[in-house]
């Protein structure tokens, strides 16, 4: 086996035989299930060309998938930018020496981390027209809610990143006569950013997936366009539509995840900081949001 | 405040449904997640590949899509596979199914990373003093892995409880989020109702975070 782990010794002669047997049996069982499913689906015409053909036509992409994807990416991009700003501001505020800055920032961060995101989206979506006058607030509600929630998680990431820098670094800064602002700006932040980058990118994956909550407030995102509107315009394409948009979501999220893993490897061997990379799970499980 | 008194009972029973869902999903995803984690560390390549594929697919798909698929696509698909009409219209169990499938991927990753934090030398030392496989797992590896797993599992649990508000995508429309939306739809947005629901979630979620954090700190050993 390739990955050595603590549970298993390197197998001996009998162990290898047993492993090969297990491999063969489980492989055959899985293959049988797979073949049976494919045959059944084929029997029902799920591989018929007319069900898949729409996904190769320009109308489907131009009319449904690309506008949906654009909506998803717009919400994700806006949410990411604002959440990063929010996270930086509140993360640093939580480290302030002044109680009157530290306390409110802490309360806000803890609060928005604990509120279910969908409730926040509903609340903003219903409240916005009352406060700001009529209009379509779907994008606004998603972006603001994503900012508050992911910004709060990012604030914790920023805080953990800065706290992970050895104390000697800031002491050295004070010793050469820098003030608080200078120590933060010139010493802690540049090193902290290297340490927190992997966790930040992992959180952006969560943010990207959470844009799908736009489904509930009829925002034109990939899920609404691809799974609700599209199958009703092209009958019988429900399963194929789910496969196609599922693949798009998975590809986007996995690309970002791979980037986060690469960054983590890079910052682990980086000499630019003495801080260890911040683990996402140390802040909150990547399962956050929806 | 009047709305909160008027809709309070309905909202509260919705919230209890979220909690019931959480208990069921927590149980099922722990069982499935443990099996998946065992698959992902097993010496059998096929099982490992199957586990890895499952985890990667479920972890990178939005929960809303998973639930919407359970609701709108699954009975179609199962009907297609089993060639009979499958009466899969109990939206409560559809929600449990979809969310357990989704959450188990995160449980699997938390458990797996926990096992991986145990240093190789621990297993070797256990073997060296003559412990059998099961003894070394029970006495040496599991206790250490458990300690590393508490905090991440706590986060998964918290996220899962919050995520139960999304079950309307599976057609289950009597949970607290759906009830809240309905009251907003009919009587307009109400800040007291929102604050009430948020407080209910805080009461459940915050202690879990505190307790798991405290427990993992208390059990942590100085290395």
């Amino acid at each position: 086996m390739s990955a050595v782990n603590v549970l298993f010794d390197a197998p001996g002669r009998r162990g290898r035989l047993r492993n090969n047997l297990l491999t063969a049996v489980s492989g055959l069982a899985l293959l049988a299930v797979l073949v049976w499913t494919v045959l059944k689906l084929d029997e029902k015409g799920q591989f018929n060309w007319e069900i898949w053909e729409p996904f190769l036509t320009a109308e489907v992409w131009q009319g449904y998938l690309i506008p949906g994807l654009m909506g998803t990416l717009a919400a994700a991009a806006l949410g990411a930018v604002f959440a990063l700003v929010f996270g930086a501001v509140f993360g640093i505020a939580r480290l302030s020496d002044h109680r009157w800055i530290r306390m409110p920032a802490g309360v806000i961060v803890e609060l928005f981390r604990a509120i279910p995101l969908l409730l926040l989206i509903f609340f903003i979506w219903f409240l916005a027209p009352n406060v700001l006058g009529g209009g379509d607030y779907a994008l606004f509600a998603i972006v603001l809610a994503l900012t508050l929630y992911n910004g709060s998680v990012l604030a914790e990431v920023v805080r953990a990143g800065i706290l992970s820098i050895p104390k000697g670094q800031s002491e050295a800064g004070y010793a050469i006569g820098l003030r608080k602002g200078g120590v933060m700006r010139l010493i802690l932040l540049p090193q902290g950013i290297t340490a927190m980058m992997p966790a930040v990118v992992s959180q952006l994956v969560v943010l990207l997936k959470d844009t799908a909550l736009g489904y509930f407030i009829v925002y034109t995102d990939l899920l609404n366009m691809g799974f609700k509107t599209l199958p009703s315009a092209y009958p019988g394409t429900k399963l194929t539509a789910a496969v196609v948009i599922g693949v798009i979501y998975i590809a986007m999220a996995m690309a970002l995840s791979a980037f986060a893993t690469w960054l983590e490897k890079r910052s682990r061997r980086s000499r630019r900081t003495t801080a260890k990379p911040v683990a996402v799970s140390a802040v909150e499980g990547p399962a956050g949001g929806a | 405040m009047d709305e909160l008194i008027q809709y309070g009972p309905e909202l509260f029973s919705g919230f209890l449904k979220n909690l019931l869902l959480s208990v069921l999903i927590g149980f099922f995803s722990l069982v499935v997640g443990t099996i998946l984690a065992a698959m992902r560390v097993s010496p059998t390549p096929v099982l490992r590949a199957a586990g890895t594929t499952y985890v990667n697919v479920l972890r990178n798909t939005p929960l809303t899509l998973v639930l919407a698929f359970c609701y709108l696509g699954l009975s179609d698909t199962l009907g297609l596979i089993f060639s009979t009409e499958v009466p899969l219209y109990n939206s409560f169990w559809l929600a449990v199914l979809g969310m357990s499938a989704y959450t188990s991927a995160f449980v699997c990753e938390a458990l797996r990373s926990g096992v991986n934090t145990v240093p190789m030398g621990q297993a070797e030392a256990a073997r060296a003093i003559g412990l059998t496989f099961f003894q070394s797992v029970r006495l040496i590896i599991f206790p250490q892995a458990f300690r590393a797993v508490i905090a991440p599992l706590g986060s998964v649990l918290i996220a899962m409880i919050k995520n139960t508000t999304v079950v309307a995508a599976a057609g289950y429309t009597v949970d607290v989020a759906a009830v809240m939306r309905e009251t907003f739809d009919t009587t307009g947005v109400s800040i007291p109702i929102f604050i009430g629901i948020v407080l209910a979630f805080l009461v459940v979620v915050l202690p879990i975070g505190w307790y798991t954090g405290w427990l993992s700190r208390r059990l942590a050993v100085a290395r």
Side-chain angles (χ1 to χ4, degrees):
Chain A
M1 73 186 275
S2 56
V4 179
N5 62 48
V6 292
L7 288 180
F8 300 103
D9 271 340
R13 205 150 50 91
R14 267 172 54 196
R16 269 203 302 275
L17 187 69
R18 198 173 55 227
N19 285 345
N20 288 343
L21 253 167
L22 260 173
T23 309
V25 170
S26 57
L28 277 176
L30 255 156
L31 198 68
V33 171
L34 218 69
V35 166
W36 184 71
T37 312
V38 167
L39 280 179
K40 279 286 177 192
L41 287 176
D42 187 43
E43 206 174 283
K44 293 284 167 176
Q46 282 301 301
F47 296 105
N48 282 3
W49 185 235
E50 61 266 24
I51 298 183
W52 290 88
E53 198 244 337
F55 293 95
L56 293 177
T57 59
E59 304 97 78
V60 162
W61 285 87
Q62 277 167 5
Y64 300 93
L65 294 176
I66 292 191
L69 190 59
M70 283 300 152
T72 291
L73 289 178
L78 287 171
V81 170
F82 290 129
L84 284 170
V85 174
F86 186 99
V89 169
F90 279 80
I92 292 170
R94 281 201 81 175
L95 293 167
S96 164
D97 288 337
H98 306 290
R99 210 181 144 79
W100 59 273
I101 298 179
R102 202 172 55 221
M103 287 284 284
V107 169
I108 287 173
V109 166
E110 290 297 332
L111 183 70
F112 283 112
R113 246 154 43 102
I115 298 181
L117 191 53
L118 184 62
L119 294 182
L120 202 56
I121 292 178
F122 276 156
F123 184 62
I124 297 168
W125 191 52
F126 278 103
L127 192 66
N130 295 346
V131 179
L132 305 167
D136 180 16
Y137 289 103
L139 178 64
F140 175 77
I142 294 170
V143 169
L144 182 56
L146 285 177
T147 301
L148 292 173
Y149 170 69
N150 291 287
S152 297
V153 178
L154 288 176
E156 289 294 272
V157 172
V158 169
R159 193 169 75 116
I162 289 172
L163 286 178
S164 70
I165 297 162
K167 220 171 163 213
Q169 294 285 330
S170 49
E171 281 166 358
Y174 291 122
I176 58 168
L178 289 175
R179 278 184 256 172
K180 272 193 293 189
V183 169
M184 182 60 79
R185 189 163 47 84
L186 299 170
I187 295 178
L188 295 182
L189 271 184
Q191 295 192 59
I193 286 170
T194 315
M196 67 182 82
M197 260 326 260
V200 168
V201 179
S202 299
Q203 191 56 37
L204 295 184
V205 176
V206 176
L207 190 148
L208 176 72
K209 282 170 55 192
D210 281 350
T211 57
L213 289 172
Y215 185 68
F216 289 93
I217 56 172
V218 213
Y219 174 64
T220 43
D221 68 343
L222 188 56
L223 185 52
N224 256 317
M225 292 304 273
F227 199 56
K228 225 186 211 166
T229 322
L230 182 89
S232 57
Y234 293 82
T237 55
K238 190 140 265 168
L239 189 57
T240 34
V243 171
V244 171
I245 66 166
V247 166
I248 298 176
Y249 270 118
I250 292 168
M252 290 194 297
M254 281 184 86
L256 262 178
S257 296
F259 181 54
T261 312
W262 178 78
L263 273 175
E264 186 163 351
K265 281 210 183 98
R266 195 164 154 270
S267 62
R268 223 180 267 282
R269 61 179 151 81
S270 158
R271 291 212 196 100
R272 289 177 53 199
T273 175
T274 39
K276 288 205 183 78
V278 178
V280 197
S281 58
V283 179
E284 187 186 286
Chain B
M1 272 321 269
D2 300 339
E3 301 101 320
L4 191 58
I5 294 162
Q6 190 190 339
Y7 292 103
E10 205 183 335
L11 288 164
F12 187 66
S13 90
F15 184 65
L16 289 184
K17 282 168 188 128
N18 287 72
L19 294 187
L20 175 64
L21 279 167
S22 304
V23 171
L24 289 171
I25 295 160
F27 173 75
F28 288 126
S29 55
L30 202 59
V31 172
V32 179
T34 310
I35 296 171
L36 282 171
M39 280 168 75
R40 287 203 68 179
V41 299
S42 89
T44 311
V46 179
L47 290 180
R48 232 182 313 146
T52 308
T53 312
Y54 178 94
V55 168
N56 279 338
V57 168
L58 267 296
R59 228 161 53 116
N60 289 306
T61 316
L63 174 63
T64 322
L65 172 60
V66 176
L67 290 174
F69 178 74
C70 285
Y71 183 46
L72 300 168
L74 195 60
S75 61
D76 281 6
T77 313
L78 286 181
L80 287 167
I81 293 175
F82 293 104
S83 26
T84 49
E85 205 48 43
V86 183
L88 246 185
Y89 296 112
N90 187 327
S91 48
F92 178 81
W93 289 105
L94 281 182
V96 172
L97 173 74
M99 274 199 66
S100 303
Y102 178 83
T103 311
S104 61
F106 292 94
V107 171
C108 164
E109 285 306 273
L111 294 178
R112 203 172 64 98
S113 67
V115 171
N116 285 340
T117 58
V118 180
M120 196 63 199
Q122 296 288 320
E124 285 162 359
R127 209 53 56 84
I129 58 169
L131 297 182
T132 63
F133 172 76
F134 285 107
Q135 279 175 326
S136 70
V137 168
R138 188 165 53 91
L139 299 170
I140 310 285
I141 296 169
F142 181 74
Q144 298 188 58
F146 178 69
R147 204 164 47 206
V149 145
I150 297 167
L153 266 191
S155 314
V156 172
L157 177 66
I158 290 172
M160 185 265 288
I161 294 173
K162 287 160 54 191
N163 279 344
T164 55
T165 50
V166 183
V167 290
Y172 189 65
T173 51
V174 283
D175 84 301
V176 74
V179 175
M180 181 185 99
R181 182 181 182 171
E182 207 180 295
T183 61
F184 284 4
D185 256 337
T186 49
T187 59
V189 56
S190 153
I191 294 172
I193 285 185
F194 181 69
I195 292 175
I197 298 173
V198 165
L199 284 179
F201 272 97
L202 289 180
V203 165
V204 173
V205 162
L206 286 182
I208 296 175
W210 293 332
Y211 180 68
T212 52
W214 172 80
L215 196 63
S216 75
R217 268 194 306 280
R218 207 186 72 128
L219 294 176
V221 271
R223 285 239 167 94

